[in-house]
Amino acid sequence: MKARAVTYAELAQRIGVSEASVKRMFSQKQFTLQRLDQILVAIGSDFQQLAQAVQTAQAAPTLITGLTYAQEKEIIEDTRLFVVAVSALNLLPLEQIVAIYDISEAQAVKYLLRLDKIGFLELLPNNRVKLLVARTFAWIPNGPIHTYFKQEAYGDYLNSQFDGETELLRLVNVMLSKKSTAALLERLKQVAVEFSQQHQEDARLPGDERLAISFMLAARPWMPRTFKALLRHTAAPVGQSASRPVSQSA
C-alpha cells in the first residue's frame, strides 16, 4: 500500500468498509484469504506480486528515501558528479554516461564510487550499478538540488510551447474542501509512485527507445498577484474571512 500511495481511507472506500475496520484488520493482523485477495485487487496487485515483494525485501539492502543536506550540497557543487548521480537515477549504464556526456570513464567510475560510499548506489564488478534508492526517493524540499531544479524550471523548463508530441501542460484552478484537497495530494503522490514503477520497468529497454522525461506535480493554495491586487479588504470574499483571501490550487 505504501508503494502505491494508498491510504487506509482510500482502501476502505475501495473495498466497501469503514476506515476503522481497515485499521483494525492491519493492527490485529487478522485477514481471511478472501479479504486479503480483495485488498490486493483493490490496490492493483496479486498474491504472486506480494510474494515477490516479500522475497525482494528480505534479500535486498535497505533502500534510502533521500540524502542528507550535506550530501545534496556536495553533489550539486560538482556538475559532473551531479550528472552521474542523475544518470544513475535514470538507470543509465556507465558506457552510456561516457557516450552522452563529456565525462571520461575514469571520472565516471570515481563519481560512482563516491555515490556508492554515501549509499546512493552499489558499484558492482565490471562497473555495473545497482541503485539503492526507494521508489519514494525524493530530494529534500527546498534543499540544494530541489532549489536548483526550481531555478531551472522557472527559466529553461517552462520556456516551451508544450505542444509537441511528448509534451503536455495543464494549469487547473479549483476550489476544494480540505477533504478533497487531501485526496488530491494523495492522488498526486500515487501518480509519482506509479511513474517511478514504470521507470523501473522501462529500464530493460535499450537507451535509444527511452526519452528523458521530466514532469512536475505541484499543488498549493495560490492566487495570482494580479488577482490579489483587486481583493476588497473591507469585505470578506465568498466562503472566506476578510483577513484571509480565497485560495486556489494550481
Side-chain angles (χ1 to χ4, degrees):
M1 286 172 60
K2 287 182 178 179
R4 287 166 169 76
V6 177
T7 64
Y8 286 135
E10 288 177 314
L11 178 62
Q13 186 176 16
R14 294 180 189 182
I15 65 176
V17 300
S18 68
E19 183 177 354
S21 296
V22 169
K23 290 181 177 179
R24 184 165 57 253
M25 281 190 291
F26 279 93
S27 64
Q28 297 177 355
K29 299 181 180 180
Q30 294 181 350
F31 301 91
T32 63
L33 287 177
Q34 183 179 5
R35 177 66 78 186
L36 181 56
D37 185 49
Q38 183 185 25
I39 291 173
L40 290 171
V41 171
I43 65 174
S45 186
D46 54 35
F47 281 107
Q48 182 179 1
Q49 291 179 344
L50 181 62
Q52 289 175 343
V54 171
Q55 291 177 349
T56 300
Q58 292 174 340
T62 302
L63 302 180
I64 62 172
T65 57
L67 302 177
T68 66
Y69 189 95
Q71 288 169 340
E72 283 199 9
K73 188 171 184 294
E74 176 186 356
I75 289 175
I76 200 65
E77 288 179 347
D78 187 329
T79 302
R80 284 182 168 81
L81 176 58
F82 185 35
V83 167
V84 172
V86 173
S87 297
L89 199 58
N90 286 328
L91 305 177
L92 289 180
L94 175 66
E95 55 270 19
Q96 279 193 264
I97 297 175
V98 174
I100 296 172
Y101 300 104
D102 183 19
I103 300 175
S104 68
E105 182 174 337
Q107 287 176 319
V109 171
K110 180 186 71 172
Y111 292 132
L112 290 172
L113 284 171
R114 178 57 192 152
L115 294 170
D116 180 296
K117 186 175 181 180
I118 66 177
F120 189 81
L121 54 79
E122 181 181 355
L123 188 58
L124 303 173
N126 299 320
N127 293 325
R128 292 180 296 109
V129 171
K130 180 179 181 181
L131 206 58
L132 298 181
V133 300
R135 289 178 179 173
T136 54
F137 177 86
W139 305 115
I140 300 171
N142 297 317
I145 294 179
H146 194 183
T147 299
Y148 165 83
F149 278 119
K150 285 198 297 183
Q151 292 170 345
E152 288 293 300
Y154 292 147
D156 186 42
Y157 183 77
L158 293 176
N159 184 27
S160 171
Q161 297 298 320
F162 286 93
D163 55 0
E165 182 180 355
T166 57
E167 297 181 322
L168 175 68
L169 177 64
R170 292 288 186 272
L171 179 62
V172 182
N173 295 88
V174 294
M175 297 183 69
L176 301 175
S177 66
K178 288 186 176 181
K179 181 179 179 180
S180 296
T181 299
L184 169 66
L185 297 180
E186 286 300 321
R187 176 57 184 150
L188 292 180
K189 292 177 185 178
Q190 184 176 352
V191 168
V193 171
E194 289 172 357
F195 274 91
S196 177
Q197 182 176 356
Q198 191 64 54
H199 166 65
Q200 298 284 342
E201 294 174 357
D202 286 355
R204 305 185 185 96
L205 299 174
D208 58 0
E209 294 185 20
R210 295 187 292 148
L211 297 175
I213 296 292
S214 296
F215 70 99
M216 295 187 296
L217 297 176
R220 75 176 180 95
W222 176 74
M223 178 181 287
R225 285 175 291 182
T226 51
F227 286 29
K228 287 183 178 180
L230 295 176
L231 288 176
R232 295 182 185 275
H233 296 289
T234 56
V238 177
Q240 199 77 13
S241 67
S243 60
R244 296 180 61 191
V246 176
S247 296
Q248 297 180 335
S249 296

